[in-house]
Amino acid sequence: GYSELELKTLQTWAPVGCPECRDTGYRGRQAIFEVMELDEELTRLTLRNAPADELRSMAIERGMISLRRDALDKVAQGLTSLDEVDRVVI
């Protein structure tokens, strides 16, 4: 899900376990979000039962960040790992 430009500078980390995290490398939770703000055009598409892929494309054009993109951004920030994103994001 990363662009070629992002891959050139991406630094990732792997979880390292300890007794405090029960050797998982994770402690607590990190939320990932996908929020679609409805504007007039997205509302119109919704009301006419437009296909989901059409709604999604329009929402992304209008600034929506997908669940996977939010997760990948958190990998780039060092908040989680690619393995964890692959495990939890469909």
Side-chain angles (χ1 to χ4, degrees), residues 25-54:
Y26 300 100
R27 182 166 179 231
R29 297 181 185 262
Q30 178 64 54
I32 53 176
F33 301 96
E34 179 174 84
V35 178
M36 181 176 78
E37 290 187 43
L38 288 176
D39 62 12
E40 200 171 304
E41 183 60 28
L42 286 169
T43 300
R44 195 177 356 259
L45 287 173
T46 303
L47 291 174
R48 74 170 174 85
N49 294 319
D53 60 330
E54 186 178 345

Side-chain angles (χ1 to χ4, degrees), residues 32-90:
I32 53 176
F33 301 96
E34 179 174 84
V35 178
M36 181 176 78
E37 290 187 43
L38 288 176
D39 62 12
E40 200 171 304
E41 183 60 28
L42 286 169
T43 300
R44 195 177 356 259
L45 287 173
T46 303
L47 291 174
R48 74 170 174 85
N49 294 319
D53 60 330
E54 186 178 345
L55 275 169
R56 181 177 181 76
S57 292
M58 177 70 71
I60 289 172
E61 281 177 24
R62 296 176 181 277
M64 181 185 89
I65 298 171
S66 71
L67 192 68
R68 184 160 197 78
R69 183 75 239 182
D70 189 45
L72 292 173
D73 289 346
K74 287 182 169 114
V75 168
Q77 295 168 33
L79 299 173
T80 191
S81 69
L82 284 171
D83 286 340
E84 188 68 359
V85 169
D86 284 341
R87 188 182 75 77
V88 299
V89 180
I90 297 172

